[in-house]
Amino acid sequence: MYSFFWRLLPGPWPVKLIITLIIAVAVFFLLMEVVFPWVSAMMPYNDVSV
């Protein structure tokens, strides 16, 4: 699967590496800023009563 994405990217391998790193960082920040806070609000551990 990863070889398919690697072949899909344009340019020589240094350019592919830079594009891959940019995509990985973008996915990381998307998860941290959007997905994880949304999922955290739906988790049952927020309903704590003592």
Side-chain angles (χ1 to χ4, degrees):
M1 180 175 164
Y2 294 114
S3 63
F4 170 73
F5 291 127
W6 188 257
R7 282 183 272 128
L8 189 66
L9 293 172
W13 75 267
V15 174
K16 290 181 181 185
L17 182 64
I18 292 170
I19 293 171
T20 302
L21 291 174
I22 290 171
I23 291 172
V25 168
V27 168
F28 173 78
F29 279 113
L30 177 72
L31 287 172
M32 288 297 172
E33 296 294 326
V34 177
V35 177
F36 292 153
W38 174 71
V39 171
S40 176
M42 299 171 64
M43 288 287 132
Y45 59 77
N46 288 336
D47 299 331
V48 176
S49 60
V50 176

